[in-house]
Amino acid sequence: MATNPASESRRSARTADEVNEEIRALWLRCGGRLSTEQRREYQRLVTEWATAEAESHGSPTRAA
């Protein structure tokens, strides 16, 4: 699924807590076993969470 820049900026505007809730919901939906697509979504969410967490603490984020 392709993402567009507008939706990316909306997602990154969420708090770490909001993203964490989505991560928890993903794990609950999949019963603890991620499909390939769910794993991609999980990785995207963890990256978004880390960015939001760093921004909430005033830390600059670094590209991997």
Side-chain angles (χ1 to χ4, degrees), residues 14 16-34 38 41-42 45-46 49:
R14 297 189 300 175
D17 287 341
E18 291 170 323
V19 179
N20 191 38
E21 285 301 313
E22 190 171 341
I23 292 169
R24 289 176 186 268
L26 173 63
W27 278 107
L28 287 173
R29 279 193 315 271
C30 72
R33 294 188 56 103
L34 299 174
Q38 289 166 325
E41 178 69 1
Y42 173 74
L45 287 168
V46 168
W49 174 86

Side-chain angles (χ1 to χ4, degrees), residues 42-53:
Y42 173 74
Q43 290 170 339
R44 183 194 62 76
L45 287 168
V46 168
T47 300
E48 181 183 352
W49 174 86
T51 300
E53 185 71 9

